[in-house]
Amino acid sequence: MIFLDSSHAIVDSKVVARGTVASNTIYPRELVKLALEFNASAMVVAHNHPSGNLEPSMQDHQLTRTLYLACSFMNIRLLDHLIIGQSDNAYSFADHGIMNSISKECSRILDQ
């Protein structure tokens, strides 16, 4: 995770979990808790796919959506979710328009 201030300057970064070759368990509330501890205004999350396949899984999408909502309630912006593959190739949810789609989807919930 990369924690950012209101100008999007890096405040700190932290490895928050280490998984197995096939899975990793991460809890959005723990990520939000860390962001609050660092007084972050925004953050970027990243994880690797050991297989090298950069396609986001359904779990990746669900985690991002849940984390986006949790962050929004705490006035923290989730700017991107990166998937790192082999040879340092990366998939960016923001670059692929997914963060924008999640933002629009979640705004219906947040605006109620």
Side-chain angles (χ1 to χ4, degrees), residues 27-99:
Y27 300 101
R29 71 185 189 144
E30 296 301 322
L31 302 181
V32 172
K33 181 180 170 185
L34 281 170
L36 291 170
E37 287 174 11
F38 284 107
N39 201 29
S41 295
M43 64 185 193
V44 173
V45 296
H47 75 281
N48 72 316
H49 279 184
S51 68
N53 179 3
L54 294 179
E55 269 312 298
S57 66
M58 285 305 276
Q59 293 87 355
D60 293 331
H61 283 276
Q62 185 61 41
L63 171 64
T64 307
R65 192 175 298 108
T66 302
L67 187 56
Y68 184 93
L69 279 170
C71 286
S72 294
F73 288 124
M74 296 292 119
N75 293 316
I76 300 167
R77 292 192 58 213
L78 177 61
L79 299 177
D80 205 352
H81 180 167
L82 303 172
I83 299 172
I84 312 300
Q86 295 174 346
S87 303
D88 293 330
N89 291 328
Y91 181 98
S92 163
F93 276 53
D95 288 351
H96 284 86
I98 297 171
M99 294 307 298

